[in-house]
């Protein structure tokens, strides 16, 4: 019987030499693998008091939409700067070489809303931390963060747990 990790393809030297890219598109394209991932990501939060699912750009949209559907909740995207129409709030975060900015609509959630954050991969935790800060600016309460993959050597899980976050991952890969 396959597990989630068995559906994930590793592509060496992408996007740069020395990087082992963990490609979840092979997981998404397989109906059993995709259902398994969605079910396992939402399982710890089934029955929890959650108002909205938030997906981080871009693969978090695919997973977050499916999880929102399964839980009967709404979905809110957090996007890269300049991708959302209307009034937004933003949060900068550090990349390996430089800085990036995430945005969400300033009316995307109500103060006090209980939120589950979804993405495919947890590396340094910078994107997820930026998303959490955006949600907190609007008064959201993050009840958990769920990911398919953790790269533990990069420290993202420890960073999010230090922020008091409940972090759920389906599998880990060594290396960057």
């Amino acid at each position: 019987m396959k597990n989630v990790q068995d559906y994930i393809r590793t592509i060496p030297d992408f996007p740069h030499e020395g990087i082992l890219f963990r490609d979840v598109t092979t997981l998404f394209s397989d109906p059993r693998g995709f259902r398994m991932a969605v079910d396992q990501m939402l399982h710890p939060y089934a029955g929890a008091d959650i108002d909205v699912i938030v997906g981080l750009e871009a693969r978090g949209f695919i997973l977050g939409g499916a999880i929102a559907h399964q839980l009967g909740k709404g979905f809110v995207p957090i996007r890269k700067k300049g991708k959302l129409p209307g009034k937004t709030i933003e949060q900068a975060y550090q990349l390996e070489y430089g800085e990036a900015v995430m945005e969400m609509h300033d009316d995307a959630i109500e103060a006090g809303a209980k939120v589950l954050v979804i993405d495919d991969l947890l590396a340094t935790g910078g994107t997820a931390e930026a998303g959490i800060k955006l949600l907190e600016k609007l008064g959201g309460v993050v009840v958990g963060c769920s990911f398919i993959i953790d790269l533990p050597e990069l420290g993202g899980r420890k960073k999010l747990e230090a922020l008091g976050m409940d972090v759920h991952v389906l599998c880990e890969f060594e290396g960057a």
Side-chain angles (χ1 to χ4, degrees):
M1 178 144 189
K2 283 183 157 185
N3 62 40
V4 167
Q5 195 164 356
D6 295 331
Y7 291 96
I8 299 168
R9 172 174 53 185
T10 298
I11 300 174
D13 299 321
F14 183 83
H16 305 289
E17 188 174 332
I19 300 293
L20 294 172
F21 185 82
R22 308 307 177 170
D23 181 18
V24 294
T25 62
T26 49
L27 170 70
F28 292 169
S29 68
D30 185 281
R32 285 190 183 121
F34 186 56
R35 170 153 310 272
M36 181 188 307
V38 169
D39 289 349
Q40 289 178 13
M41 289 180 79
L42 70 81
H43 180 72
Y45 305 101
D49 186 14
I50 296 171
D51 299 310
V52 67
I53 307 302
V54 169
L56 304 175
E57 186 159 337
R59 289 171 296 276
F61 298 170
I62 297 164
L63 295 160
I67 291 168
H69 174 76
Q70 283 294 104
L71 294 177
K73 304 297 178 185
F75 174 79
V76 172
I78 293 183
R79 303 215 54 192
K80 294 175 183 169
K81 185 176 175 80
K83 301 288 186 179
L84 291 171
K87 192 170 179 196
T88 60
I89 60 171
E90 62 183 49
Q91 179 66 48
Y93 65 101
Q94 294 301 309
L95 298 170
E96 186 176 355
Y97 300 104
E99 188 176 86
V101 177
M102 299 295 282
E103 291 183 324
M104 68 185 296
H105 285 121
D106 68 350
D107 61 355
I109 64 164
E110 294 181 15
K114 294 172 186 71
V115 181
L116 177 60
V117 176
I118 303 294
D119 205 359
D120 68 320
L121 180 98
L122 179 58
T124 65
T127 304
E129 181 182 22
I132 290 163
K133 287 181 177 178
L134 284 169
L135 292 162
E136 290 175 344
K137 283 181 186 179
L138 294 179
V141 178
V142 179
V143 298
C145 303
S146 191
F147 304 89
I148 295 174
I149 301 168
D150 181 21
L151 303 178
E153 293 174 26
L154 299 180
R157 183 180 194 136
K158 288 180 183 174
K159 178 187 280 187
L160 297 183
E161 288 174 342
L163 295 172
M165 296 296 120
D166 175 62
V167 178
H168 175 66
V169 297
L170 304 188
C171 63
E172 294 181 351
F173 285 94
E174 296 303 317

